[in-house]
Amino acid sequence: MSETGRWLQEVIKCKAAVAWEPNKPLVIEEIEVAPPQANEVRIKIVATGVCHTDLYHLFEGMHKDGFPAVLGHEGAGIVESVGPGVTEFQPGDKVIPLFISQCKQCRFCKSPKTNQCEKGWAADRHDVMASAESRFTCKGKKVLQFMGTSTFSQYTVMNQMAVAKVDPAAPLDKVCLLGCGVCTGFGAAVNTAKVEPGSTCAVFGLGAVGLAAVMGCKAAGAKRIIAVDINPEKFEKAKVFGATEFVNPKDHNKPISQVLAEMTDGGVDYSLECVGNVGVMRSALESCVKGWGVSVLVGWTDMYDFAARPIQLIAGRTWKGSLFGGFKSKDGVPEMVKAYLDKKVKLDEFITHKMTLGEVNDAIELMKHGECIRTVLSVSPQ
Ligand code: NAD
Ligand code: ZN
């Protein structure tokens, strides 16, 4: 392609699952995807996972002005074309879209203490949406890009600072899970909690995020990993990822923190909340041992305040939160892809269902009813 021709790209018409309004099934529509502009890449999405955060937007968060939108933020694909100023990517590269950018220049990117880049959709765009700058239209209307990613579409457009190039050998229908759930849980244990060898951990909630947290605790050398869920069908899977004990809060008529304290001589060293429920967040904190216990919030909610007794923290516990497992996204995701290819982290075991984009509402129902860990949707033929 000539240098001038390179930027004369066409609008693409393709299929996407559009969320027209909260609480309603997604509708498969033909949408128009604009060409990538300066520093942007247009990506053909090959596969995407369905994460609870997509459901949160549709059924719980219901952001005012957040519709119509294309959901999906756990995808993988292939670069179709690039806009002016893009040097790092070429058509054909395998990539993972990132809902948290890494510009490598802001004060947050320069600090080793955080992965909260100050650029990217979170800052430039509207809240969880790419409102002003969405590259999508459908039936004459602007359609928002959820979390800047919108992987429930055959094509999406992203700023290059929110795209990770991955090993060409990576199977996209597996590594898509590294776009959210698996990095989130694994990193929460390894990067945020900084689980130490020989320690005792408790993971609350055994969806993909919690199971990845179990895997992270094991990778960090935890001796005991107590898996907590109100759905006992999740325990078998938790064992695969390294859980050593299993507790269903429904089997006990005392607070779960008391049950765990009795099992562990006063509480666990690390607890990770992977549910998104403020009551469970408090229980997870209270399940930590005084003196040095660390509790990490991973589950997502922005609906309610939480409460705890100050004495819990005064007595030496630490309460932390983790976004995307604390991974600096562009650096961390390719490393996790490599760890998967080197068989150091599991991905296949998270995938309980495979469907097509057209079946996205069935995948949402499965997750709503706790009947899956991850459904991977095939979005475009490779
Ligand atoms: P999921 O729905 O697959 O899993 C949630 C699990 O929690 C289920 O197994 C459910 O049975 C269990 N659960 C529900 N109530 C419980 C209770 N009271 N006690 C113990 N277990 C309980 O969801 P997921 O995709 O694994 O996501 C988990 C959470 O992580 C969600 O809130 C999601 O929005 C959040 N999340 C956060 C980030 C982040 O960066 N912090 C990223 C992705 C997802
Ligand atoms: Zn997610």
Side-chain angles (χ1 to χ4, degrees):
M1 222 182 299
S2 75
E3 260 316 292
T4 38
R6 236 180 124 197
W7 318 123
L8 295 175
Q9 285 125 11
E10 309 270 324
V11 168
I12 287 181
K13 288 186 179 187
C14 69
K15 294 257 180 294
V18 177
W20 286 104
E21 49 188 321
N23 255 319
K24 293 276 165 63
L26 308 185
V27 184
I28 302 295
E29 305 274 14
E30 186 177 86
I31 66 163
E32 294 87 39
V33 181
Q37 298 182 15
N39 301 312
E40 293 182 341
V41 296
R42 187 160 57 185
I43 301 165
K44 178 172 83 170
I45 298 295
V46 171
T48 182
V50 179
C51 167
H52 203 112
T53 311
D54 301 308
L55 274 67
Y56 175 80
H57 181 71
L58 197 56
F59 303 113
E60 297 162 57
M62 294 182 199
H63 269 262
K64 188 167 79 59
D65 309 327
F67 296 86
V70 174
L71 304 178
H73 61 283
E74 196 176 76
I78 297 171
V79 173
E80 176 267 339
S81 60
V82 302
V86 174
T87 48
E88 199 187 325
F89 297 97
Q90 290 187 341
D93 284 346
K94 283 190 179 176
V95 292
I96 293 183
L98 306 166
F99 65 85
I100 174 167
S101 54
Q102 187 186 356
C103 74
K104 303 196 178 185
Q105 281 158 12
C106 74
R107 65 195 165 118
F108 295 94
C109 280
K110 283 182 179 160
S111 165
K113 292 180 183 169
T114 183
N115 63 349
Q116 311 259 331
C117 173
E118 100 185 315
K119 302 232 180 89
W121 62 267
D124 297 350
R125 300 173 168 192
H126 273 214
D127 204 356
V128 290
M129 297 298 154
S131 159
E133 299 189 42
S134 174
R135 301 284 174 254
F136 294 164
T137 50
C138 181
K139 296 179 175 164
K141 283 197 173 146
K142 266 270 177 236
V143 176
L144 303 170
Q145 282 182 264
F146 178 64
M147 296 178 90
T149 50
S150 291
T151 59
F152 296 170
S153 171
Q154 290 184 313
Y155 286 86
T156 191
V157 179
M158 309 272 312
N159 191 294
Q160 60 177 340
M161 69 186 156
V163 181
K165 196 193 295 197
V166 302
D167 193 315
L172 297 175
D173 59 346
K174 307 284 178 358
V175 299
C176 59
L177 300 186
L178 294 169
C180 181
V182 175
C183 283
T184 294
F186 189 85
V190 172
N191 302 326
T192 311
K194 298 192 188 340
V195 168
E196 289 178 342
S199 56
T200 297
C201 302
V203 176
F204 290 73
L206 304 172
V209 174
L211 292 172
V214 168
M215 182 165 75
C217 292
K218 181 169 174 169
K223 189 164 158 218
R224 295 176 68 187
I225 304 169
I226 306 170
V228 183
D229 202 299
I230 52 173
N231 178 354
E233 287 175 17
K234 304 282 176 118
F235 294 154
E236 209 179 310
K237 258 283 147 77
K239 206 172 191 172
V240 172
F241 290 101
T244 58
E245 289 142 272
F246 308 90
V247 178
N248 181 351
K250 288 185 171 168
D251 291 344
H252 301 271
N253 50 17
K254 53 187 162 192
I256 183 72
S257 54
Q258 205 177 318
V259 176
L260 292 182
E262 286 166 12
M263 288 169 70
T264 58
D265 189 23
V268 299
D269 301 309
Y270 301 95
S271 68
L272 296 113
E273 200 276 0
C274 303
V275 179
N277 173 314
V278 291
V280 180
M281 292 174 183
R282 179 179 187 153
S283 300
L285 175 73
E286 292 175 346
S287 300
C288 283
V289 67
K290 71 176 185 186
W292 58 75
V294 175
S295 188
V296 180
L297 307 184
V298 191
W300 191 280
T301 182
D302 194 20
M303 303 266 289
Y304 311 100
D305 292 344
F306 55 40
R309 290 284 175 87
I311 188 68
Q312 299 288 349
L313 302 183
I314 293 167
R317 296 176 185 85
T318 303
W319 218 355
K320 303 172 95 175
S322 185
L323 182 67
F324 196 52
F327 280 110
K328 288 199 185 269
S329 57
K330 256 174 114 88
D331 294 342
V333 166
E335 282 166 22
M336 286 293 283
V337 167
K338 186 164 187 308
Y340 168 69
L341 293 173
D342 292 345
K343 300 195 175 358
K344 290 183 182 142
V345 299
K346 299 182 199 291
L347 291 179
D348 305 30
E349 291 77 357
F350 289 96
I351 301 168
T352 51
H353 298 77
K354 289 181 186 173
M355 295 185 185
T356 62
L357 180 63
E359 296 166 303
V360 62
N361 289 310
D362 299 334
I364 289 172
E365 285 304 307
L366 282 176
M367 171 154 271
K368 223 169 152 182
H369 297 109
E371 287 162 7
C372 64
I373 301 299
R374 272 299 188 259
T375 301
V376 171
L377 305 175
S378 66
V379 181
S380 306
Q382 210 158 326

